[in-house]
Amino acid sequence: MKSPQTKPNRDPEVLKKKKGLILVYTGDGKGKTTAALGVAFRALGWGMKVAMIQFIKGNWKYGEMNSAKQFGGHFELIQKGEGFTWDTQNPERDKQLVNEAWALCREKMLSGQYQVLIFDEINYVIDYGYLDVKEVIKGLREKPESGHVILTGRNAKKELIDMADLVTEMVETKHPFKDQKIPAQKGIDF
Ligand code: ATP
Ligand code: MG
């Protein structure tokens, strides 16, 4: 059977090369935010500084809000999407909140203080028309070379996919809610 592992590159020059990557986790399948949190967990293990800015507030309390506190100041989890929920009544205000959230993302990116930055659900708010993809691309171009940035959410724009170094599309093969009407489970969904 063929090994699924790609052979690691042992060229010392290649191994030394460091680059701040742009990662996109998109698609309709579950796992985008949790994949980003997995990267955060890995990076925190190296003492790296991580921040996750959430553009959309979910309906319940997520376990990661408690976990983040356990890393002290190394892991900032900021919920900016206070007003932007799925059943919004005030689109103008939501648009403003989204743009405030983006201003914070930009500030954190330009500060150069974070080795990993996660902009959770940013693809969704761009697709929704609340944030201009050109603005985001401009910000990403200005970022310091060293930091990694992860953009999550469905319907990632082609411009961002083109710019990214890594793009993973989550494909829904089976989902407990869709297939069996099993509700969201603690530790798995929230
Ligand atoms: P997760 O946060 O679990 O990694 P996600 O970030 O990929 O999920 P979102 O689009 O942010 O997915 O959706 C958030 C919520 O919707 C999660 O609670 C998740 O369990 C649920 N969900 C995600 N994908 C599906 C799906 N294909 N069908 C039904 N519910 C889904
Ligand atoms: Mg998500």
Side-chain angles (χ1 to χ4, degrees), residues 64-92:
E64 55 265 35
M65 296 168 186
N66 300 329
S67 312
K69 291 179 196 143
Q70 297 180 30
F71 292 97
H74 277 264
F75 188 8
E76 295 172 15
L77 202 158
I78 305 159
Q79 285 203 303
K80 285 298 281 184
E82 276 159 288
F84 185 54
T85 54
W86 307 102
D87 48 6
T88 183
Q89 302 292 318
N90 191 341
E92 275 317 305

PDB file of all heavy atoms in Angstrom, residues 64-92:
ATOM      1  N   GLU A  64     -13.729  26.753  23.995  1.00  0.00           N
ATOM      2  CA  GLU A  64     -12.443  27.438  23.746  1.00  0.00           C
ATOM      3  C   GLU A  64     -12.326  28.763  24.492  1.00  0.00           C
ATOM      4  O   GLU A  64     -11.220  29.237  24.740  1.00  0.00           O
ATOM      5  CB  GLU A  64     -12.189  27.630  22.247  1.00  0.00           C
ATOM      6  CG  GLU A  64     -13.250  28.348  21.453  1.00  0.00           C
ATOM      7  CD  GLU A  64     -14.236  27.401  20.772  1.00  0.00           C
ATOM      8  OE1 GLU A  64     -14.540  26.339  21.366  1.00  0.00           O
ATOM      9  OE2 GLU A  64     -14.699  27.716  19.662  1.00  0.00           O
ATOM     10  N   MET A  65     -13.478  29.342  24.868  1.00  0.00           N
ATOM     11  CA  MET A  65     -13.414  30.595  25.648  1.00  0.00           C
ATOM     12  C   MET A  65     -12.785  30.317  27.013  1.00  0.00           C
ATOM     13  O   MET A  65     -12.056  31.147  27.546  1.00  0.00           O
ATOM     14  CB  MET A  65     -14.815  31.169  25.848  1.00  0.00           C
ATOM     15  CG  MET A  65     -15.469  31.585  24.563  1.00  0.00           C
ATOM     16  SD  MET A  65     -17.196  31.895  24.909  1.00  0.00           S
ATOM     17  CE  MET A  65     -17.774  32.167  23.260  1.00  0.00           C
ATOM     18  N   ASN A  66     -13.087  29.155  27.576  1.00  0.00           N
ATOM     19  CA  ASN A  66     -12.480  28.777  28.862  1.00  0.00           C
ATOM     20  C   ASN A  66     -11.039  28.325  28.663  1.00  0.00           C
ATOM     21  O   ASN A  66     -10.154  28.681  29.441  1.00  0.00           O
ATOM     22  CB  ASN A  66     -13.265  27.634  29.518  1.00  0.00           C
ATOM     23  CG  ASN A  66     -14.706  28.034  29.786  1.00  0.00           C
ATOM     24  OD1 ASN A  66     -14.985  29.204  30.038  1.00  0.00           O
ATOM     25  ND2 ASN A  66     -15.619  27.089  29.704  1.00  0.00           N
ATOM     26  N   SER A  67     -10.804  27.562  27.597  1.00  0.00           N
ATOM     27  CA  SER A  67      -9.444  27.056  27.347  1.00  0.00           C
ATOM     28  C   SER A  67      -8.463  28.202  27.170  1.00  0.00           C
ATOM     29  O   SER A  67      -7.343  28.156  27.690  1.00  0.00           O
ATOM     30  CB  SER A  67      -9.389  26.207  26.078  1.00  0.00           C
ATOM     31  OG  SER A  67     -10.418  25.285  26.053  1.00  0.00           O
ATOM     32  N   ALA A  68      -8.885  29.224  26.435  1.00  0.00           N
ATOM     33  CA  ALA A  68      -7.995  30.345  26.107  1.00  0.00           C
ATOM     34  C   ALA A  68      -7.401  30.956  27.371  1.00  0.00           C
ATOM     35  O   ALA A  68      -6.210  31.280  27.408  1.00  0.00           O
ATOM     36  CB  ALA A  68      -8.743  31.399  25.303  1.00  0.00           C
ATOM     37  N   LYS A  69      -8.228  31.058  28.407  1.00  0.00           N
ATOM     38  CA  LYS A  69      -7.778  31.681  29.668  1.00  0.00           C
ATOM     39  C   LYS A  69      -6.628  30.903  30.289  1.00  0.00           C
ATOM     40  O   LYS A  69      -5.808  31.455  31.015  1.00  0.00           O
ATOM     41  CB  LYS A  69      -8.944  31.751  30.661  1.00  0.00           C
ATOM     42  CG  LYS A  69     -10.015  32.724  30.237  1.00  0.00           C
ATOM     43  CD  LYS A  69     -11.167  32.735  31.243  1.00  0.00           C
ATOM     44  CE  LYS A  69     -12.386  33.410  30.625  1.00  0.00           C
ATOM     45  NZ  LYS A  69     -13.641  32.767  31.021  1.00  0.00           N
ATOM     46  N   GLN A  70      -6.578  29.606  30.025  1.00  0.00           N
ATOM     47  CA  GLN A  70      -5.537  28.769  30.633  1.00  0.00           C
ATOM     48  C   GLN A  70      -4.156  29.025  30.042  1.00  0.00           C
ATOM     49  O   GLN A  70      -3.158  28.556  30.574  1.00  0.00           O
ATOM     50  CB  GLN A  70      -5.915  27.300  30.504  1.00  0.00           C
ATOM     51  CG  GLN A  70      -7.197  26.999  31.267  1.00  0.00           C
ATOM     52  CD  GLN A  70      -7.611  25.548  31.178  1.00  0.00           C
ATOM     53  OE1 GLN A  70      -6.776  24.669  31.057  1.00  0.00           O
ATOM     54  NE2 GLN A  70      -8.912  25.305  31.230  1.00  0.00           N
ATOM     55  N   PHE A  71      -4.106  29.746  28.948  1.00  0.00           N
ATOM     56  CA  PHE A  71      -2.807  30.068  28.341  1.00  0.00           C
ATOM     57  C   PHE A  71      -2.339  31.468  28.730  1.00  0.00           C
ATOM     58  O   PHE A  71      -1.395  31.997  28.133  1.00  0.00           O
ATOM     59  CB  PHE A  71      -2.880  29.941  26.820  1.00  0.00           C
ATOM     60  CG  PHE A  71      -3.069  28.525  26.353  1.00  0.00           C
ATOM     61  CD1 PHE A  71      -4.319  28.048  26.041  1.00  0.00           C
ATOM     62  CD2 PHE A  71      -1.976  27.668  26.263  1.00  0.00           C
ATOM     63  CE1 PHE A  71      -4.502  26.744  25.628  1.00  0.00           C
ATOM     64  CE2 PHE A  71      -2.142  26.352  25.850  1.00  0.00           C
ATOM     65  CZ  PHE A  71      -3.411  25.886  25.530  1.00  0.00           C
ATOM     66  N   GLY A  72      -3.006  32.048  29.717  1.00  0.00           N
ATOM     67  CA  GLY A  72      -2.630  33.380  30.181  1.00  0.00           C
ATOM     68  C   GLY A  72      -2.750  34.366  29.033  1.00  0.00           C
ATOM     69  O   GLY A  72      -3.631  34.267  28.200  1.00  0.00           O
ATOM     70  N   GLY A  73      -1.816  35.294  28.954  1.00  0.00           N
ATOM     71  CA  GLY A  73      -1.889  36.309  27.902  1.00  0.00           C
ATOM     72  C   GLY A  73      -1.453  35.799  26.539  1.00  0.00           C
ATOM     73  O   GLY A  73      -1.489  36.541  25.561  1.00  0.00           O
ATOM     74  N   HIS A  74      -1.042  34.524  26.464  1.00  0.00           N
ATOM     75  CA  HIS A  74      -0.521  34.022  25.185  1.00  0.00           C
ATOM     76  C   HIS A  74      -1.596  33.779  24.147  1.00  0.00           C
ATOM     77  O   HIS A  74      -1.337  33.744  22.955  1.00  0.00           O
ATOM     78  CB  HIS A  74       0.282  32.742  25.412  1.00  0.00           C
ATOM     79  CG  HIS A  74       1.687  33.030  25.829  1.00  0.00           C
ATOM     80  ND1 HIS A  74       2.720  33.073  24.946  1.00  0.00           N
ATOM     81  CD2 HIS A  74       2.210  33.332  27.029  1.00  0.00           C
ATOM     82  CE1 HIS A  74       3.830  33.377  25.583  1.00  0.00           C
ATOM     83  NE2 HIS A  74       3.542  33.549  26.853  1.00  0.00           N
ATOM     84  N   PHE A  75      -2.835  33.555  24.615  1.00  0.00           N
ATOM     85  CA  PHE A  75      -3.921  33.268  23.680  1.00  0.00           C
ATOM     86  C   PHE A  75      -5.069  34.249  23.944  1.00  0.00           C
ATOM     87  O   PHE A  75      -5.761  34.156  24.950  1.00  0.00           O
ATOM     88  CB  PHE A  75      -4.394  31.817  23.855  1.00  0.00           C
ATOM     89  CG  PHE A  75      -5.389  31.347  22.812  1.00  0.00           C
ATOM     90  CD1 PHE A  75      -5.705  32.114  21.698  1.00  0.00           C
ATOM     91  CD2 PHE A  75      -6.002  30.114  22.943  1.00  0.00           C
ATOM     92  CE1 PHE A  75      -6.611  31.676  20.736  1.00  0.00           C
ATOM     93  CE2 PHE A  75      -6.917  29.655  21.994  1.00  0.00           C
ATOM     94  CZ  PHE A  75      -7.213  30.439  20.894  1.00  0.00           C
ATOM     95  N   GLU A  76      -5.234  35.180  23.035  1.00  0.00           N
ATOM     96  CA  GLU A  76      -6.346  36.139  23.157  1.00  0.00           C
ATOM     97  C   GLU A  76      -7.490  35.655  22.269  1.00  0.00           C
ATOM     98  O   GLU A  76      -7.292  35.412  21.085  1.00  0.00           O
ATOM     99  CB  GLU A  76      -5.909  37.523  22.661  1.00  0.00           C
ATOM    100  CG  GLU A  76      -4.822  38.152  23.500  1.00  0.00           C
ATOM    101  CD  GLU A  76      -4.293  39.432  22.851  1.00  0.00           C
ATOM    102  OE1 GLU A  76      -4.935  39.987  21.934  1.00  0.00           O
ATOM    103  OE2 GLU A  76      -3.202  39.861  23.252  1.00  0.00           O
ATOM    104  N   LEU A  77      -8.667  35.538  22.864  1.00  0.00           N
ATOM    105  CA  LEU A  77      -9.842  35.169  22.065  1.00  0.00           C
ATOM    106  C   LEU A  77     -10.838  36.323  22.177  1.00  0.00           C
ATOM    107  O   LEU A  77     -11.348  36.604  23.263  1.00  0.00           O
ATOM    108  CB  LEU A  77     -10.437  33.866  22.584  1.00  0.00           C
ATOM    109  CG  LEU A  77     -11.303  33.091  21.599  1.00  0.00           C
ATOM    110  CD1 LEU A  77     -11.388  31.634  21.997  1.00  0.00           C
ATOM    111  CD2 LEU A  77     -12.688  33.662  21.489  1.00  0.00           C
ATOM    112  N   ILE A  78     -11.016  37.014  21.086  1.00  0.00           N
ATOM    113  CA  ILE A  78     -11.814  38.236  21.126  1.00  0.00           C
ATOM    114  C   ILE A  78     -13.063  38.076  20.277  1.00  0.00           C
ATOM    115  O   ILE A  78     -12.984  37.815  19.075  1.00  0.00           O
ATOM    116  CB  ILE A  78     -10.965  39.431  20.606  1.00  0.00           C
ATOM    117  CG1 ILE A  78      -9.668  39.531  21.419  1.00  0.00           C
ATOM    118  CG2 ILE A  78     -11.758  40.735  20.671  1.00  0.00           C
ATOM    119  CD1 ILE A  78      -8.563  40.281  20.720  1.00  0.00           C
ATOM    120  N   GLN A  79     -14.211  38.227  20.910  1.00  0.00           N
ATOM    121  CA  GLN A  79     -15.478  38.129  20.176  1.00  0.00           C
ATOM    122  C   GLN A  79     -15.917  39.522  19.781  1.00  0.00           C
ATOM    123  O   GLN A  79     -16.389  40.289  20.617  1.00  0.00           O
ATOM    124  CB  GLN A  79     -16.538  37.503  21.074  1.00  0.00           C
ATOM    125  CG  GLN A  79     -16.359  36.022  21.248  1.00  0.00           C
ATOM    126  CD  GLN A  79     -17.661  35.374  21.643  1.00  0.00           C
ATOM    127  OE1 GLN A  79     -18.258  35.738  22.652  1.00  0.00           O
ATOM    128  NE2 GLN A  79     -18.119  34.425  20.859  1.00  0.00           N
ATOM    129  N   LYS A  80     -15.757  39.845  18.512  1.00  0.00           N
ATOM    130  CA  LYS A  80     -16.139  41.179  18.067  1.00  0.00           C
ATOM    131  C   LYS A  80     -17.544  41.196  17.464  1.00  0.00           C
ATOM    132  O   LYS A  80     -18.123  42.243  17.269  1.00  0.00           O
ATOM    133  CB  LYS A  80     -15.135  41.707  17.028  1.00  0.00           C
ATOM    134  CG  LYS A  80     -13.817  42.143  17.624  1.00  0.00           C
ATOM    135  CD  LYS A  80     -13.944  43.287  18.606  1.00  0.00           C
ATOM    136  CE  LYS A  80     -14.091  44.642  17.927  1.00  0.00           C
ATOM    137  NZ  LYS A  80     -14.120  45.738  18.915  1.00  0.00           N
ATOM    138  N   GLY A  81     -18.047  40.035  17.135  1.00  0.00           N
ATOM    139  CA  GLY A  81     -19.333  40.003  16.432  1.00  0.00           C
ATOM    140  C   GLY A  81     -20.541  40.093  17.342  1.00  0.00           C
ATOM    141  O   GLY A  81     -21.553  39.454  17.086  1.00  0.00           O
ATOM    142  N   GLU A  82     -20.426  40.925  18.376  1.00  0.00           N
ATOM    143  CA  GLU A  82     -21.517  40.983  19.356  1.00  0.00           C
ATOM    144  C   GLU A  82     -22.889  41.216  18.738  1.00  0.00           C
ATOM    145  O   GLU A  82     -23.853  40.567  19.080  1.00  0.00           O
ATOM    146  CB  GLU A  82     -21.245  42.091  20.367  1.00  0.00           C
ATOM    147  CG  GLU A  82     -20.347  41.644  21.480  1.00  0.00           C
ATOM    148  CD  GLU A  82     -19.703  42.827  22.158  1.00  0.00           C
ATOM    149  OE1 GLU A  82     -18.814  43.438  21.548  1.00  0.00           O
ATOM    150  OE2 GLU A  82     -20.117  43.129  23.273  1.00  0.00           O
ATOM    151  N   GLY A  83     -22.945  42.180  17.834  1.00  0.00           N
ATOM    152  CA  GLY A  83     -24.248  42.509  17.250  1.00  0.00           C
ATOM    153  C   GLY A  83     -24.558  41.696  16.020  1.00  0.00           C
ATOM    154  O   GLY A  83     -25.691  41.652  15.560  1.00  0.00           O
ATOM    155  N   PHE A  84     -23.537  41.033  15.475  1.00  0.00           N
ATOM    156  CA  PHE A  84     -23.753  40.346  14.212  1.00  0.00           C
ATOM    157  C   PHE A  84     -24.077  38.882  14.449  1.00  0.00           C
ATOM    158  O   PHE A  84     -23.217  38.040  14.552  1.00  0.00           O
ATOM    159  CB  PHE A  84     -22.527  40.497  13.316  1.00  0.00           C
ATOM    160  CG  PHE A  84     -22.725  39.926  11.951  1.00  0.00           C
ATOM    161  CD1 PHE A  84     -23.806  40.312  11.172  1.00  0.00           C
ATOM    162  CD2 PHE A  84     -21.849  38.985  11.451  1.00  0.00           C
ATOM    163  CE1 PHE A  84     -23.993  39.772   9.908  1.00  0.00           C
ATOM    164  CE2 PHE A  84     -22.029  38.441  10.186  1.00  0.00           C
ATOM    165  CZ  PHE A  84     -23.105  38.838   9.425  1.00  0.00           C
ATOM    166  N   THR A  85     -25.339  38.581  14.578  1.00  0.00           N
ATOM    167  CA  THR A  85     -25.776  37.204  14.759  1.00  0.00           C
ATOM    168  C   THR A  85     -26.539  36.799  13.502  1.00  0.00           C
ATOM    169  O   THR A  85     -26.688  37.577  12.570  1.00  0.00           O
ATOM    170  CB  THR A  85     -26.681  37.071  16.003  1.00  0.00           C
ATOM    171  OG1 THR A  85     -27.743  38.005  15.877  1.00  0.00           O
ATOM    172  CG2 THR A  85     -25.917  37.343  17.268  1.00  0.00           C
ATOM    173  N   TRP A  86     -26.996  35.584  13.471  1.00  0.00           N
ATOM    174  CA  TRP A  86     -27.635  35.080  12.245  1.00  0.00           C
ATOM    175  C   TRP A  86     -28.988  35.745  12.000  1.00  0.00           C
ATOM    176  O   TRP A  86     -29.451  35.825  10.880  1.00  0.00           O
ATOM    177  CB  TRP A  86     -27.809  33.559  12.308  1.00  0.00           C
ATOM    178  CG  TRP A  86     -26.530  32.861  12.615  1.00  0.00           C
ATOM    179  CD1 TRP A  86     -26.146  32.344  13.816  1.00  0.00           C
ATOM    180  CD2 TRP A  86     -25.427  32.646  11.728  1.00  0.00           C
ATOM    181  NE1 TRP A  86     -24.879  31.819  13.714  1.00  0.00           N
ATOM    182  CE2 TRP A  86     -24.428  31.980  12.447  1.00  0.00           C
ATOM    183  CE3 TRP A  86     -25.198  32.939  10.375  1.00  0.00           C
ATOM    184  CZ2 TRP A  86     -23.216  31.604  11.886  1.00  0.00           C
ATOM    185  CZ3 TRP A  86     -23.991  32.562   9.818  1.00  0.00           C
ATOM    186  CH2 TRP A  86     -23.023  31.905  10.567  1.00  0.00           C
ATOM    187  N   ASP A  87     -29.629  36.226  13.088  1.00  0.00           N
ATOM    188  CA  ASP A  87     -30.963  36.816  12.906  1.00  0.00           C
ATOM    189  C   ASP A  87     -30.920  38.325  13.172  1.00  0.00           C
ATOM    190  O   ASP A  87     -31.660  38.873  13.966  1.00  0.00           O
ATOM    191  CB  ASP A  87     -31.992  36.134  13.827  1.00  0.00           C
ATOM    192  CG  ASP A  87     -31.480  36.026  15.258  1.00  0.00           C
ATOM    193  OD1 ASP A  87     -30.394  36.571  15.538  1.00  0.00           O
ATOM    194  OD2 ASP A  87     -32.170  35.408  16.077  1.00  0.00           O
ATOM    195  N   THR A  88     -30.015  38.972  12.488  1.00  0.00           N
ATOM    196  CA  THR A  88     -29.790  40.394  12.725  1.00  0.00           C
ATOM    197  C   THR A  88     -30.982  41.256  12.294  1.00  0.00           C
ATOM    198  O   THR A  88     -31.677  40.947  11.354  1.00  0.00           O
ATOM    199  CB  THR A  88     -28.513  40.852  11.997  1.00  0.00           C
ATOM    200  OG1 THR A  88     -28.303  42.203  12.313  1.00  0.00           O
ATOM    201  CG2 THR A  88     -28.607  40.674  10.500  1.00  0.00           C
ATOM    202  N   GLN A  89     -31.139  42.350  13.029  1.00  0.00           N
ATOM    203  CA  GLN A  89     -32.231  43.280  12.724  1.00  0.00           C
ATOM    204  C   GLN A  89     -31.690  44.602  12.185  1.00  0.00           C
ATOM    205  O   GLN A  89     -32.450  45.422  11.709  1.00  0.00           O
ATOM    206  CB  GLN A  89     -33.053  43.574  14.005  1.00  0.00           C
ATOM    207  CG  GLN A  89     -33.649  42.355  14.671  1.00  0.00           C
ATOM    208  CD  GLN A  89     -34.732  41.723  13.829  1.00  0.00           C
ATOM    209  OE1 GLN A  89     -35.557  42.409  13.233  1.00  0.00           O
ATOM    210  NE2 GLN A  89     -34.724  40.402  13.725  1.00  0.00           N
ATOM    211  N   ASN A  90     -30.394  44.809  12.319  1.00  0.00           N
ATOM    212  CA  ASN A  90     -29.823  46.109  11.998  1.00  0.00           C
ATOM    213  C   ASN A  90     -28.551  45.979  11.144  1.00  0.00           C
ATOM    214  O   ASN A  90     -27.438  46.051  11.656  1.00  0.00           O
ATOM    215  CB  ASN A  90     -29.530  46.830  13.330  1.00  0.00           C
ATOM    216  CG  ASN A  90     -29.188  48.290  13.125  1.00  0.00           C
ATOM    217  OD1 ASN A  90     -28.832  48.719  12.022  1.00  0.00           O
ATOM    218  ND2 ASN A  90     -29.279  49.061  14.194  1.00  0.00           N
ATOM    219  N   PRO A  91     -28.716  45.783   9.839  1.00  0.00           N
ATOM    220  CA  PRO A  91     -27.561  45.514   8.981  1.00  0.00           C
ATOM    221  C   PRO A  91     -26.507  46.620   8.988  1.00  0.00           C
ATOM    222  O   PRO A  91     -25.305  46.317   8.946  1.00  0.00           O
ATOM    223  CB  PRO A  91     -28.157  45.360   7.587  1.00  0.00           C
ATOM    224  CG  PRO A  91     -29.611  45.424   7.719  1.00  0.00           C
ATOM    225  CD  PRO A  91     -29.989  45.708   9.125  1.00  0.00           C
ATOM    226  N   GLU A  92     -26.937  47.870   9.090  1.00  0.00           N
ATOM    227  CA  GLU A  92     -25.946  48.967   9.077  1.00  0.00           C
ATOM    228  C   GLU A  92     -25.025  48.896  10.286  1.00  0.00           C
ATOM    229  O   GLU A  92     -23.826  49.076  10.179  1.00  0.00           O
ATOM    230  CB  GLU A  92     -26.650  50.338   9.015  1.00  0.00           C
ATOM    231  CG  GLU A  92     -27.000  50.775   7.596  1.00  0.00           C
ATOM    232  CD  GLU A  92     -25.870  50.522   6.576  1.00  0.00           C
ATOM    233  OE1 GLU A  92     -24.741  50.994   6.813  1.00  0.00           O
ATOM    234  OE2 GLU A  92     -26.116  49.842   5.569  1.00  0.00           O
TER     235      GLU A  92
END
